[in-house]
Amino acid sequence: MQVPAGNLLQKINYPSDLKLLNETELEQVCKELRQYIIDVVSVNGGHFAASLGVVELTVALQYVLNTPYDQLVWDVGHQAYGHKILTGRRDEFHTNRIHGGISGFPKRSESIYDTFGVGHSSTSISAALGMAVASHYKGETDRQHVAVIGDGSMTAGMAFEALNHAGIENSNLLVILNDNNMAIDPNVGALKEYLTDITTSKPYNRFRDDIAHVLAKLSSIGPDAFKVAQKLEKSIKGTLLKRSNFFEALKFRYFGPIDGHDVNHLIKVLKDLRDIPGPKLLHCITVKGKGYALAEKDQTKWHAPGLFDKITGEIKKTKYDKPQPPKYQDVFGHSIIELAEQNPKIMGITPAMPSGCSLNLMMKAMPNRAFDVGIAEQHAVTFSAGLATQGLVPFCNIYSSFMQRAYDQVIHDVAIQKLNVVFCLDRAGFAGADGATHHGAYDMAYMRCIPNMVVSAPMNEEELRNLMFTAQQENMGPFVIRYPRGNGVMVDWQRPFKAIPVGKGRKVCDGDDVAILSIGAIGNEVVKATAELNAEGYNPAHYDLRFIKPLDEALLHDVFKNFNKVITVEDGCIEGGMGSAVLEFMADNGYTNIQVKRLGIPDKFIEHGDQPELWADCGFDANGIARQVRNMAEKRNVNTIAS
């Protein structure tokens, strides 16, 4: 749905148009930009509060910088909606995150103004530093390089690694710390406390107002005067804060904190910092959800609220006449509490996604047994390993896509030591509108090749509960449970726990001519397909493997002795996934002359869209599965699906 822009905003197609305005007009631009984001997101959905919090910073940066020649890198990209609107995509913004529309994150192939693709956090400083070093090498000394990173993203190890390196490079790098004390959920950790100390130091805040302007002027006088001023500034800062400044210790010039919602002051400071050489950090204090009262009040809820009434604030949800199946994440959240009540060894860990994975339920019910460790997937895994060495059973819940960031720790710290860490990989398969950076396409392939690892995927909510129950049994070792984003298929899901034999699949329905092997929740699309096919006179058999490692070899022997046409279905990458595992089994056991068709995520990056749209695009929704069966099977006269 196209939404009209304000009087000034509708004249701005690119930053060059913004620069034609007087600074006195920029406050009105900010108001119109903020309102435009509210108007469009309320009717089309998307991330919300983060972009509202950086409206003034976005306008100031595009006003001062010479983008795209100057390189601007946004961290994660949740906050980049204003950036997109001001850089040639205002009229396309209503397609944001919609199948076939523009991406919800900065994307190099989408715009020259998107200097770096960002979907995972904490990459901006490293990327901007690489750009700055490259510019220095090429002699582009007038080129600016700016990384905008939130205080939540700053908790990740990669951000610290980049700061450590940047401090010794004489590069033209400005890091803007967007400090709103929030990631998706409230921030945690010592860094949060440190930043709070800085922002609440009244003597320091009185001193810092003019320091950037003074240093900028002295840099034009000469290097000696600039160095003397730097030393004086550093000693005063240390005295006022009664501690060494962390960023100064890493050889960054630290400026701030300043009001991130004062666009005119931001412009003044950014102009001054542009003239100061070397690595610099500007600390901006912002409010996530700024300008929309409800988002300011409940920033987690309004991170990505979906469709809502912008006047009343009512979040629009589909209403049903009868009970609906729960989200898989909520099944996890409630089930881990039930298990923890039975087993005092169970602990819960998440890297900054307590509401997203529903571990927040356990954090509220058992605060001493559930931990949000911040945006730090590597630490989450090794912290879990440490717990496991002491006889505890940690359930480490990390989105499938984010687990890629901790792969070395999975191998080195968990698998080699055979520790009973239960990895619950939420958002496995297609993650929907977040697109390629968030799809959980690779977990089955990258986990099944690790020794000592059990890799499983439930077809429904009851199986998720039972796999969680199984994983915390004695001597289980490393155990992966992958499950998708969104709702399950069972209304009556909260049934008594049962242990599932590790490596044991099941037959969903009998059939002849063609056997369909599936793993995980995508098996429910197979169920739909078989019902449709039965009505047409086809009778495929359906098997749910449940485990990709170890495979149910007895089940596979039975399949290949009775069928010479097999279809594998998975919501993971075809390269190295479940279908590949089945082909390896066939080769190892001498099964030849069998026709196998593998359905899954092809060897390319899939863009954003609703899950059913993407399943259809890749050919493994119910229609695609049925189409493959028709191509391979013989039609029967009378067929029924076995219960």
Side-chain angles (χ1 to χ4, degrees):
M1 177 180 174
Q2 188 67 273
V3 174
N7 292 333
L8 290 177
L9 185 60
Q10 66 181 329
K11 300 175 183 177
I12 302 171
N13 293 306
Y14 292 96
S16 57
D17 301 317
L18 178 67
K19 296 177 192 297
L20 297 176
L21 300 178
N22 295 321
E23 289 188 25
T24 55
E25 297 177 287
L26 296 184
E27 286 190 12
Q28 181 61 30
V29 171
C30 292
K31 291 179 182 178
E32 293 182 12
L33 180 57
R34 179 170 279 114
Q35 188 60 50
Y36 190 70
I37 293 171
I38 293 171
D39 290 344
V40 176
V41 175
S42 67
V43 296
N44 293 313
H47 294 104
F48 184 61
S51 284
L52 294 185
V54 294
V55 164
E56 289 80 10
L57 179 58
T58 302
V59 170
L61 284 167
Q62 294 294 358
Y63 194 78
V64 172
L65 295 177
N66 179 27
T67 58
Y69 179 72
D70 289 339
Q71 304 278 279
L72 174 59
V73 183
W74 296 91
D75 205 274
V76 186
H78 289 147
Q79 72 273 48
Y81 287 4
H83 162 81
K84 289 191 173 234
I85 293 166
L86 295 177
T87 55
R89 287 162 283 182
R90 185 192 64 238
D91 292 342
E92 294 179 278
F93 187 60
H94 67 284
T95 71
N96 182 51
R97 290 167 51 89
I98 295 172
H99 191 232
I102 65 173
S103 171
F105 301 97
K107 186 177 179 181
R108 280 171 57 83
S109 61
E110 187 177 290
S111 171
I112 193 173
Y113 290 92
D114 292 355
T115 61
F116 203 75
V118 285
H120 292 187
S121 78
S122 316
T123 61
S124 59
I125 304 175
S126 296
L129 176 61
M131 295 170 186
V133 169
S135 295
H136 181 77
Y137 174 74
K138 294 189 292 182
E140 299 167 345
T141 56
D142 62 332
R143 201 170 196 182
Q144 303 292 313
H145 308 85
V146 180
V148 182
I149 184 169
D151 52 322
S153 293
M154 192 69 89
T155 64
M158 188 174 179
F160 288 100
E161 293 168 19
L163 289 170
N164 182 58
H165 181 197
I168 63 170
E169 295 290 345
N170 187 28
S171 54
N172 196 6
L173 174 68
L174 170 62
V175 175
I176 297 179
L177 175 57
N178 172 34
D179 183 1
N180 57 26
N181 201 28
M182 286 289 294
I184 294 176
D185 292 278
N187 281 337
V188 296
L191 179 64
K192 181 200 76 169
E193 303 298 333
Y194 173 77
L195 294 176
T196 300
D197 285 350
I198 292 178
T199 59
T200 55
S201 172
K202 293 181 180 179
Y204 176 68
N205 279 280
R206 285 195 295 269
F207 161 76
R208 53 73 176 157
D209 282 339
D210 295 320
I211 192 64
H213 186 66
V214 171
L215 287 178
K217 293 297 183 184
L218 288 173
S219 68
S220 64
I221 296 174
D224 292 337
F226 181 74
K227 289 179 181 178
V228 171
Q230 279 184 314
K231 291 180 180 179
L232 178 62
E233 173 216 3
K234 184 175 181 180
S235 65
I236 295 175
K237 283 180 178 179
T239 300
L240 291 176
L241 287 176
K242 296 183 175 59
R243 68 172 75 182
S244 295
N245 184 284
F246 171 77
F247 303 107
E248 299 278 354
L250 292 173
K251 301 187 183 302
F252 270 73
R253 307 293 333 131
Y254 172 87
F255 303 98
I258 69 171
D259 181 359
H261 298 299
D262 185 339
V263 66
N264 292 306
H265 185 56
L266 280 168
I267 288 171
K268 174 180 177 295
V269 172
L270 289 171
K271 286 180 176 178
D272 286 341
L273 294 184
R274 185 176 55 189
D275 298 325
I276 298 175
K280 306 166 287 291
L281 186 140
L282 175 62
H283 187 177
C284 294
I285 306 303
T286 63
V287 176
K288 190 172 182 179
K290 177 71 173 179
Y292 193 75
L294 292 172
E296 292 183 33
K297 184 177 180 180
D298 192 342
Q299 296 165 333
T300 298
K301 178 180 179 180
W302 289 89
H303 174 74
L307 309 185
F308 61 95
D309 186 314
K310 67 182 181 182
I311 305 300
T312 66
E314 179 186 2
I315 296 175
K316 299 176 182 178
K317 295 184 178 180
T318 304
K319 297 181 179 179
Y320 299 95
D321 296 331
K322 53 186 178 181
Q324 296 296 303
K327 293 180 179 179
Y328 282 99
Q329 69 181 61
D330 291 334
V331 174
F332 164 83
H334 291 290
S335 297
I336 194 172
I337 293 175
E338 288 182 60
L339 289 170
E341 289 171 345
Q342 300 174 18
N343 184 352
K345 297 180 180 179
I346 288 176
M347 312 290 276
I349 298 91
T350 181
M353 298 303 296
S355 60
C357 75
S358 295
L359 192 68
N360 57 343
L361 302 175
M362 185 181 186
M363 292 174 69
K364 182 177 180 180
M366 303 174 175
N368 63 330
R369 295 174 63 183
F371 303 88
D372 175 3
V373 301
I375 301 178
E377 291 86 359
Q378 293 168 293
H379 167 63
V381 170
T382 304
F383 173 64
S384 298
L387 291 171
T389 65
Q390 302 305 301
L392 301 180
V393 182
F395 278 70
C396 184
N397 192 307
I398 301 180
Y399 289 6
S400 169
S401 177
F402 298 167
M403 179 57 85
Q404 295 160 189
R405 297 161 66 96
Y407 192 55
D408 178 66
Q409 286 67 34
V410 172
I411 296 172
H412 186 274
D413 298 337
V414 177
I416 288 178
Q417 303 187 94
K418 301 181 182 179
L419 295 172
N420 187 194
V421 176
V422 183
F423 295 112
C424 294
L425 305 188
D426 198 340
R427 271 62 167 179
F430 287 132
D434 283 334
T437 58
H438 283 61
H439 294 328
Y442 310 108
D443 54 79
M444 285 192 287
Y446 70 65
M447 285 297 195
R448 81 176 185 89
C449 63
I450 302 175
N452 300 328
M453 188 71 70
V454 173
V455 185
S456 66
M459 189 169 155
N460 56 43
E461 300 94 308
E462 183 181 17
E463 286 200 340
L464 172 55
R465 285 169 56 80
N466 290 338
L467 284 169
M468 291 175 66
F469 178 75
T470 302
Q472 50 93 49
Q473 302 292 312
E474 292 293 329
N475 302 315
M476 275 296 166
F479 203 113
V480 172
I481 308 172
R482 74 182 306 263
Y483 50 92
R485 180 177 190 167
N487 294 84
V489 294
M490 300 177 65
V491 175
D492 180 23
W493 59 273
Q494 206 160 7
R495 300 175 181 180
F497 291 114
K498 298 178 184 176
I500 295 176
V502 172
K504 185 68 175 176
R506 66 189 181 105
K507 181 188 292 185
V508 180
C509 70
D510 283 316
D512 50 47
D513 202 33
V514 176
I516 305 174
L517 306 178
S518 69
I519 188 166
I522 200 65
N524 294 295
E525 290 296 298
V526 180
V527 172
K528 295 177 186 176
T530 54
E532 178 183 335
L533 289 163
N534 272 223
E536 296 176 5
Y538 296 97
N539 190 31
H542 178 199
Y543 297 84
D544 170 27
L545 290 185
R546 286 200 290 216
F547 295 87
I548 191 173
K549 185 170 188 176
L551 288 169
D552 188 339
E553 296 191 357
L555 182 151
L556 291 178
H557 280 301
D558 181 61
V559 168
F560 291 118
K561 287 175 181 177
N562 290 283
F563 296 89
N564 60 9
K565 298 173 183 177
V566 173
I567 298 172
T568 65
V569 183
E570 58 194 303
D571 59 344
C573 61
I574 288 180
E575 305 291 322
M578 182 268 282
S580 294
V582 170
L583 292 179
E584 292 165 13
F585 174 86
M586 290 172 58
D588 291 343
N589 290 276
Y591 288 107
T592 59
N593 299 320
I594 295 176
Q595 182 182 357
V596 177
K597 177 64 179 179
R598 293 180 296 155
L599 301 181
I601 300 175
D603 189 23
K604 63 180 181 179
F605 293 109
I606 307 300
E607 301 300 339
H608 54 280
D610 292 339
Q611 288 165 312
E613 292 174 324
L614 301 182
W615 296 337
D617 284 352
C618 294
F620 60 85
D621 64 338
N623 289 334
I625 296 165
R627 184 166 57 248
Q628 290 297 333
V629 172
R630 293 187 196 103
N631 290 339
M632 298 175 71
E634 296 180 11
K635 202 168 187 178
R636 308 296 182 188
N637 291 324
V638 179
N639 297 279
T640 57
I641 296 179
S643 59

